[in-house]
Amino acid sequence: VNFFTMFFNSVTNGGKTTLAEKLKNMLPNCDIISQDDFFKPESEVETDERGFKLYDVLDALYMDEMVESVRNWMKSPASSGVVTEEPQKTCDNLKNVYILIVEGFLLYNYEPLNKLWNRRYFLTLPYEECKRRRSTRVYQPADTPGYFDGHVWPMYLKYKNELEENASMQVDYLDGTKSQEELLSYVYSDIIQELNKLRE
């Protein structure tokens, strides 16, 4: 079976989920695995000395289960419950390919996931825009006062720095302030190019 995996990583509210959903509608045989589905229950997430729940770290997630889900999909993408409706005007060279989009906020610092991708993208946002978007969302549990500045943003910067320092990391950085249309068009044509290369 031909399959193709792409990973979308971004800062909180960077637009990865929206982008993933829109791509899913444009690509045939496409499935999404979301890191948010692997959070541990609140009672198992550590709290720091300031009382902040440490959600933005790998320990807050069942990462082994996530890797297992990706691997299981790769073993038999056709039986993963993917809807195989053909989107309008699908290119012929996409007909026999299964595509998996993995989206999350902490994907590239977890070694076992690093062997499973064809393309990696990272959506970035400047601090002000990220904070503004975050403030419009409702979280369970809700963000406590100071949580964004005290935990979320510092962990994002730490994570992004680790990525940038790792020379072997092939990641395509995308500007999350661009319009969804622009981002979608860029990523879609990139994927088509990559799939053409796989065909050759």
Side-chain angles (χ1 to χ4, degrees):
V1 179
N2 291 323
F3 60 78
F4 183 85
T5 56
M6 63 181 117
F7 284 24
F8 280 107
N9 201 107
S10 89
V11 61
T12 176
N13 296 280
K16 60 192 170 302
T17 309
T18 312
L19 195 56
E21 291 291 347
K22 288 188 173 176
L23 276 167
K24 183 180 176 178
N25 294 332
M26 292 171 74
L27 296 162
N29 309 333
C30 184
D31 214 1
I32 296 175
I33 290 177
S34 173
Q35 193 172 31
D36 284 357
D37 295 337
F38 297 91
F39 271 114
K40 293 176 179 173
E42 194 184 346
S43 60
E44 287 181 42
V45 175
E46 284 183 44
T47 305
D48 73 2
E49 65 283 354
R50 298 161 300 178
F52 291 149
K53 280 278 180 192
L54 303 180
Y55 274 106
D56 290 51
V57 295
L58 286 169
D59 284 347
L61 296 141
Y62 293 119
M63 290 303 294
D64 295 351
E65 285 181 24
M66 184 175 182
V67 171
E68 191 62 15
S69 295
V70 176
R71 287 188 193 283
N72 286 340
W73 183 92
M74 291 164 111
K75 276 180 213 146
S76 61
S79 64
S80 60
V82 174
V83 181
T84 52
E85 284 170 31
E86 290 293 308
Q88 297 72 30
K89 59 181 199 317
T90 296
C91 317
D92 284 340
N93 55 351
L94 289 185
K95 288 278 194 278
N96 311 317
V97 182
Y98 286 87
I99 297 170
L100 178 65
I101 299 173
V102 179
E103 60 101 358
F105 67 106
L106 275 179
L107 297 176
Y108 305 151
N109 297 41
Y110 190 66
E111 201 48 50
L113 277 177
N114 282 338
K115 302 169 185 69
L116 305 177
W117 55 274
N118 291 98
R119 286 296 271 141
R120 288 194 291 201
Y121 303 94
F122 194 118
L123 285 146
T124 61
L125 278 181
Y127 167 82
E128 291 298 342
E129 175 61 13
C130 185
K131 190 170 185 177
R132 184 191 70 74
R133 289 188 194 181
R134 176 97 181 188
S135 68
T136 64
R137 296 274 288 279
V138 178
Y139 287 91
Q140 273 328 65
D143 281 357
T144 48
Y147 188 66
F148 180 84
D149 288 313
H151 177 60
V152 177
W153 188 255
M155 291 313 293
Y156 161 67
L157 291 180
K158 173 180 179 285
Y159 172 57
K160 188 163 170 279
N161 288 339
E162 283 171 14
L163 270 189
E164 288 166 348
E165 282 165 17
N166 183 343
S168 65
M169 279 282 180
Q170 293 167 286
V171 179
D172 197 345
Y173 289 91
L174 306 174
D175 177 356
T177 61
K178 290 191 167 162
S179 72
Q180 279 290 330
E181 287 65 36
E182 216 173 328
L183 290 168
L184 191 62
S185 146
Y186 172 80
V187 174
Y188 182 75
S189 47
D190 195 43
I191 292 159
I192 300 299
Q193 275 182 330
E194 286 297 311
L195 289 168
N196 286 339
K197 276 185 215 163
L198 289 179
R199 292 272 145 151
E200 285 160 14

